[in-house]
Amino acid sequence: MDLTYTAEEEEFRARLRDWLGTVLPKLPPRPDPLDWPGRRAYDTGWQRLLYDAGYADVHWDASPTQRLIFLEETERAGAPYVGANFVGLLHAGPTIAAEGTEEQRARWLPGVLSGDEVWCQGFSEPDAGSDLASLRTRAVRDGDAYVVTGSKIWTSHAEVADWCELLVRTDPDAPKHRGISWLAMPMTSPGITVRPLRTLAGSTEFAEMFLDEVRVPVGNRVGAENDGWRVTMVTLSFERGTAFVGEVVACRRTLGELARAARENGSWDDPVIRRRLGRLAAEFAALWRLTQWNVSEAQASGGVPGVGGSVFKLQYSHARQELYDMAAEVLGPDALDLGQEWNVDRLSSLSYTIAAGTSQIQRNIVAERILGLPKGR
Amino acid sequence: MDFRLTEDQKALRAGVRELLARRFDRDALRAAVDAGGTLDRALWRELGAAGFFALRLPEEAGGVGLGLPEAVLLFEEAGRALLPGPLIATHLAAGEVPGAAEGEVVVTARDGALVEWLDAADVVLGETGEAVPVRSVDPLTPLHRVPSAAGTAVSVAPRAGAAALLSAAEQLGSASATTDMAVAYAKDRIQFGQAIGGFQAVKHLCAGMLVRTELARAAVYAAAVTADPVEIAGAKLLADEAAVRGARDCLQVHGGMGFTWEADVHLHLKRAWVRAERWMPAAAAEEAVAAAL
């Protein structure tokens, strides 16, 4: 049980902290969440700054501990979040890095790292949300291309993306988990129609996508044909395992701000509110320690996070929603003012128990894959 | 940073688990329940000989010379096995009360209004003059209540943090044990033609137990490393919750069996209730964490 960082790691932290201290004050304010093209420009601009300073590959090429330090420091400094680069940096990128060929890595990873190419996620379908493997978008081989027809929904960042990580059915006769392939689809391909969906927070961070005989080169397939489910599980372990880690630091900062607000408006004197804030602080502190535990495990097993990510994701997503409910209680009537940032964040946090596998699906994963309980209903 | 257990720590944990399996298995547990809360002095001396109480004393003082993380692993195993007796008070008294380190002397301590194992103890820390016996909810923890006006409240105050942490470790062990018990029962028990662990309602209870246990584990182990008072308070809070709610959910998974005296679930729940009330109960822990915000 060792929680101390090496001198080398501390040096990395100090260097990063210095750099953040010089670049952050020069950054313009982030555009309104309703302005996706503006957000894309802003988020990719930030990614370019990281790239030029040599920090861009920290999401998957650095050691898990360095990634932890990176997320901790960027969140602590209030640096921009990955935003429009989320899918590229935290999903498609790590998946290509882990499962792609040398040529595929060379083709796609630089664009992801520099922020020049934005990715979207084409996983969910109208009849296949939590039951992801029952997807029906089909890809039929025609010479050196797949001809793809079907539709996707909740396609994150589709409006502004250059590439899509797309799950398609390449063998309709195989058992449902076995006939799937993972494709990188250019969003400029003829036959793609994107229709933005408005979230309950008012933004359009995801969209419906219709695919009508879209031709995708066979060389854009990552992993073997019909082996896409395994590749997808690698992607999802990144999503559940590490993608939300930095946000725990952000939540702890928010909790500190909330305690200050409570002291100022007098609600701190209510022992019920004070004690609930204390309990939440204990939960977020423990979540951070759980992250360090998971990272230690991942470091020892070669970098891909295990199912322990589901334990983290379950607890984190609920604690985050509880945090914003507490904010509403502390703020009183101000909780209804969307001009205040935490009220917008409160709306956004409602997706956390649904996205990347609902809490119910996560509990099934924990029960079946960690505890070994039988599959069933 | 490598938060995982070292090889030495894993060996220590395995050794303690093996000792307790040999010396305090289920038959011994049920015999202790039937004996109505009398302390097994021979077992106490064996624990002493194995270094249970002298674990953190320096080697030159005849101790084992290990630290809080190792003590936490030890108490986690004690909690898993439902080992009875004033383990924490005796462990904390080692090196100060002669004979405690060796397990020759049984030490108990008053904590707030309660003192456990008063009649069985050789030495009592804190004032307990007017103590009256309580019909304890836990058949393996005899309790006395001290009138609120009487004397010093917390006698081991300088080490109250260590007491809370070791108590949290016991809760962690208990939470882990009830999770294992629930999962084993859910795999075994057939209803409607299938193991009940296949039903999502049961599955989700078990998953919740594991999540609370692992969150508590991260908190307890980290607090053992840092010995930070705020982190210890948070660890106690989460471990209490993992143990109490874990035992309740385990009881629910056991269905009608869970409500019987012969199933062990109630013993875990009752001990978890006792521990949750002692060495920094929820209100104090929440206030301690909040004060640092």
Side-chain angles (χ1 to χ4, degrees), chain A residues 119-140:
Chain A
W119 287 66
C120 63
Q121 186 181 39
F123 278 20
S124 297
E125 295 188 7
D127 291 321
S130 288
D131 185 9
L132 184 57
S134 67
L135 61 91
R136 284 194 299 215
T137 291
R138 65 180 195 278
V140 180

Short mmCIF file of all heavy atoms in Angstrom, two decimals, chain A residues 119-140:
data_model
loop_
_atom_site.label_atom_id
_atom_site.label_comp_id
_atom_site.label_asym_id
_atom_site.label_seq_id
_atom_site.Cartn_x
_atom_site.Cartn_y
_atom_site.Cartn_z
N TRP A 119 -13.84 12.90 -33.53
CA TRP A 119 -14.55 11.62 -33.72
C TRP A 119 -15.91 11.67 -33.04
O TRP A 119 -16.12 12.40 -32.07
CB TRP A 119 -13.74 10.47 -33.13
CG TRP A 119 -12.53 10.10 -33.95
CD1 TRP A 119 -11.43 10.88 -34.17
CD2 TRP A 119 -12.32 8.87 -34.66
NE1 TRP A 119 -10.54 10.21 -34.97
CE2 TRP A 119 -11.06 8.97 -35.29
CE3 TRP A 119 -13.06 7.71 -34.82
CZ2 TRP A 119 -10.53 7.94 -36.07
CZ3 TRP A 119 -12.53 6.67 -35.58
CH2 TRP A 119 -11.28 6.80 -36.20
N CYS A 120 -16.83 10.86 -33.58
CA CYS A 120 -18.11 10.67 -32.90
C CYS A 120 -18.31 9.18 -32.68
O CYS A 120 -17.61 8.35 -33.25
CB CYS A 120 -19.26 11.28 -33.68
SG CYS A 120 -19.56 10.54 -35.30
N GLN A 121 -19.28 8.87 -31.82
CA GLN A 121 -19.50 7.47 -31.44
C GLN A 121 -20.80 6.93 -32.04
O GLN A 121 -21.88 7.38 -31.66
CB GLN A 121 -19.54 7.33 -29.92
CG GLN A 121 -19.63 5.88 -29.48
CD GLN A 121 -19.69 5.74 -27.97
OE1 GLN A 121 -20.34 6.53 -27.30
NE2 GLN A 121 -19.02 4.74 -27.44
N GLY A 122 -20.69 5.98 -32.95
CA GLY A 122 -21.87 5.36 -33.57
C GLY A 122 -22.08 3.96 -33.04
O GLY A 122 -21.87 2.98 -33.74
N PHE A 123 -22.48 3.89 -31.78
CA PHE A 123 -22.71 2.58 -31.15
C PHE A 123 -24.21 2.29 -31.03
O PHE A 123 -24.72 1.33 -31.58
CB PHE A 123 -22.09 2.54 -29.74
CG PHE A 123 -20.61 2.23 -29.72
CD1 PHE A 123 -19.82 2.41 -30.83
CD2 PHE A 123 -20.01 1.77 -28.55
CE1 PHE A 123 -18.45 2.13 -30.81
CE2 PHE A 123 -18.64 1.49 -28.51
CZ PHE A 123 -17.87 1.67 -29.63
N SER A 124 -24.93 3.16 -30.30
CA SER A 124 -26.33 2.88 -29.96
C SER A 124 -27.25 2.98 -31.17
O SER A 124 -27.00 3.76 -32.08
CB SER A 124 -26.82 3.86 -28.91
OG SER A 124 -26.10 3.71 -27.72
N GLU A 125 -28.30 2.17 -31.14
CA GLU A 125 -29.34 2.23 -32.18
C GLU A 125 -30.69 2.34 -31.50
O GLU A 125 -30.82 2.02 -30.32
CB GLU A 125 -29.27 0.98 -33.06
CG GLU A 125 -27.97 0.89 -33.84
CD GLU A 125 -27.96 -0.25 -34.85
OE1 GLU A 125 -29.01 -0.90 -35.04
OE2 GLU A 125 -26.89 -0.47 -35.43
N PRO A 126 -31.71 2.77 -32.27
CA PRO A 126 -33.03 2.96 -31.65
C PRO A 126 -33.54 1.71 -30.93
O PRO A 126 -34.13 1.81 -29.87
CB PRO A 126 -33.92 3.30 -32.85
CG PRO A 126 -33.00 3.93 -33.84
CD PRO A 126 -31.68 3.23 -33.66
N ASP A 127 -33.26 0.52 -31.47
CA ASP A 127 -33.71 -0.70 -30.79
C ASP A 127 -32.58 -1.42 -30.08
O ASP A 127 -32.73 -2.58 -29.69
CB ASP A 127 -34.38 -1.64 -31.81
CG ASP A 127 -35.69 -1.05 -32.30
OD1 ASP A 127 -36.43 -0.45 -31.48
OD2 ASP A 127 -35.97 -1.15 -33.51
N ALA A 128 -31.44 -0.76 -29.96
CA ALA A 128 -30.30 -1.41 -29.30
C ALA A 128 -29.53 -0.36 -28.51
O ALA A 128 -28.51 0.13 -28.94
CB ALA A 128 -29.39 -2.07 -30.33
N GLY A 129 -30.05 0.01 -27.35
CA GLY A 129 -29.37 0.97 -26.48
C GLY A 129 -28.54 0.20 -25.49
O GLY A 129 -27.38 -0.13 -25.75
N SER A 130 -29.13 -0.12 -24.35
CA SER A 130 -28.40 -0.92 -23.37
C SER A 130 -28.11 -2.33 -23.90
O SER A 130 -27.12 -2.94 -23.54
CB SER A 130 -29.21 -1.02 -22.07
OG SER A 130 -29.20 0.22 -21.41
N ASP A 131 -28.98 -2.82 -24.77
CA ASP A 131 -28.72 -4.13 -25.38
C ASP A 131 -27.93 -3.89 -26.66
O ASP A 131 -28.39 -4.16 -27.77
CB ASP A 131 -30.06 -4.83 -25.68
CG ASP A 131 -29.86 -6.26 -26.21
OD1 ASP A 131 -28.71 -6.74 -26.19
OD2 ASP A 131 -30.85 -6.86 -26.66
N LEU A 132 -26.73 -3.37 -26.46
CA LEU A 132 -25.90 -2.90 -27.58
C LEU A 132 -25.70 -3.96 -28.66
O LEU A 132 -25.71 -3.67 -29.85
CB LEU A 132 -24.55 -2.44 -27.00
CG LEU A 132 -23.54 -1.81 -27.96
CD1 LEU A 132 -24.14 -0.59 -28.65
CD2 LEU A 132 -22.29 -1.40 -27.19
N ALA A 133 -25.53 -5.21 -28.24
CA ALA A 133 -25.18 -6.27 -29.19
C ALA A 133 -26.33 -6.63 -30.14
O ALA A 133 -26.12 -7.36 -31.11
CB ALA A 133 -24.73 -7.52 -28.45
N SER A 134 -27.52 -6.13 -29.87
CA SER A 134 -28.61 -6.46 -30.80
C SER A 134 -28.72 -5.41 -31.92
O SER A 134 -29.74 -5.29 -32.57
CB SER A 134 -29.93 -6.64 -30.06
OG SER A 134 -30.35 -5.43 -29.50
N LEU A 135 -27.63 -4.69 -32.16
CA LEU A 135 -27.64 -3.67 -33.22
C LEU A 135 -27.89 -4.31 -34.59
O LEU A 135 -27.55 -5.46 -34.83
CB LEU A 135 -26.31 -2.90 -33.22
CG LEU A 135 -25.01 -3.65 -33.47
CD1 LEU A 135 -24.67 -3.68 -34.95
CD2 LEU A 135 -23.89 -2.97 -32.70
N ARG A 136 -28.51 -3.51 -35.49
CA ARG A 136 -28.93 -4.08 -36.78
C ARG A 136 -28.31 -3.39 -38.00
O ARG A 136 -28.53 -3.84 -39.12
CB ARG A 136 -30.45 -4.03 -36.88
CG ARG A 136 -31.11 -5.11 -36.04
CD ARG A 136 -32.55 -5.26 -36.38
NE ARG A 136 -33.29 -4.02 -36.12
CZ ARG A 136 -34.54 -3.98 -35.68
NH1 ARG A 136 -35.21 -5.09 -35.47
NH2 ARG A 136 -35.14 -2.82 -35.47
N THR A 137 -27.61 -2.27 -37.79
CA THR A 137 -26.99 -1.60 -38.94
C THR A 137 -26.08 -2.62 -39.62
O THR A 137 -25.20 -3.20 -38.98
CB THR A 137 -26.17 -0.39 -38.46
OG1 THR A 137 -27.08 0.60 -37.99
CG2 THR A 137 -25.33 0.19 -39.59
N ARG A 138 -26.33 -2.85 -40.92
CA ARG A 138 -25.60 -3.95 -41.54
C ARG A 138 -24.55 -3.44 -42.53
O ARG A 138 -24.69 -2.37 -43.14
CB ARG A 138 -26.56 -4.93 -42.22
CG ARG A 138 -27.33 -4.38 -43.38
CD ARG A 138 -28.25 -5.43 -43.99
NE ARG A 138 -28.70 -4.97 -45.30
CZ ARG A 138 -29.70 -4.11 -45.48
NH1 ARG A 138 -30.37 -3.64 -44.45
NH2 ARG A 138 -30.05 -3.72 -46.70
N ALA A 139 -23.49 -4.23 -42.67
CA ALA A 139 -22.42 -3.89 -43.60
C ALA A 139 -22.21 -5.09 -44.51
O ALA A 139 -21.92 -6.19 -44.04
CB ALA A 139 -21.14 -3.57 -42.84
N VAL A 140 -22.41 -4.88 -45.81
CA VAL A 140 -22.27 -5.97 -46.77
C VAL A 140 -21.00 -5.73 -47.59
O VAL A 140 -20.79 -4.63 -48.11
CB VAL A 140 -23.51 -6.02 -47.70
CG1 VAL A 140 -23.37 -7.16 -48.71
CG2 VAL A 140 -24.78 -6.18 -46.88
#
